[in-house]
Amino acid sequence: MNDIDFECTECGKCCHDLRLALTVTEAIAWLERGGRMELICEAIPWPVEPEPGNAQAEYKRARSSPAMSGSLPVRISIVLAAAFEGACPNLRADMRCNIYEQRPLVCRIYPAEINPFVELAPQNKGCPPDAWQNKPLLRQGVLVDAATVEQIEQSRRANQLEAPLRMQVCTELGLNEAALANEGFVMVSPDSDALLSALRKIHASGQSQDAAAQWTFVSNRTGTVETLQSVGAAGHLVETSVVGNARYHGFFPPS
Ligand code: SF4
Ligand code: SF4
């Protein structure tokens, strides 16, 4: 088990070129400040429920919503992401956060990990070498700061509780295409006003749909589409990476 020290140098590097996963309330606030959001969608084939005790599957299940793709049961994972190229719109010239007291949970938690299956590794973080010293961050693999532990719990709870609401937002916006999990993402940049209005409506009602929605897989690989279709799923090839306001980001070259 590892010990890690850390003290933020306020270099501002972690506030650039990001997709920040937000809660519904944070997403509403982000849009109200004029920020841009994306919905990042992936679909996991889920023909049968996993055996009890499969912690990774349970984690995925809790953060996704049931749906159908053709006749194949799937789970859809949707991330509400604040998106920006270059500096965050809230980053000041002195590298301080302009919304420090209202900054999203994910910003408060960094560089700790939210996903319990991802180990915190300094080499995977954008922080400079001189940040990894001075104050205890991890002792024997356990986070030292109680506030960060609570924020991680809060983030995980929101991610789980809001999964049906994120699905409802997609339904409201007519979004029903996702990449195959671990092969890519579909990233949609909806009209900000339409997204804000859908989020406000869903947040106010707190209701989610009952019927499992129909979703379609998209892929840049012919073999993937054919395999999915052979098991009853709806899927098609993406010819270009950008279609309308949606972008397919594949992890593998087209084939
Ligand atoms: S909201 Fe603040 S802390 Fe979060 S990325 Fe933007 S500037 Fe950085
Ligand atoms: S990259 Fe690391 S050291 Fe730099 S501001 Fe972000 S958290 Fe602090």
Side-chain angles (χ1 to χ4, degrees), residues 70-81:
S71 57
L72 180 72
V74 295
R75 293 200 71 91
I76 307 295
S77 167
I78 301 153
V79 177
L80 283 172

Side-chain angles (χ1 to χ4, degrees), residues 6-16 91 95 107 110-111 125-132:
F6 177 79
E7 186 172 23
C8 177
T9 63
E10 299 178 359
C11 68
K13 205 174 159 197
C14 61
C15 302
H16 287 76
L91 188 65
M95 295 297 124
C107 301
Y110 193 86
K125 301 290 172 178
C127 307
D130 59 343
W132 301 100

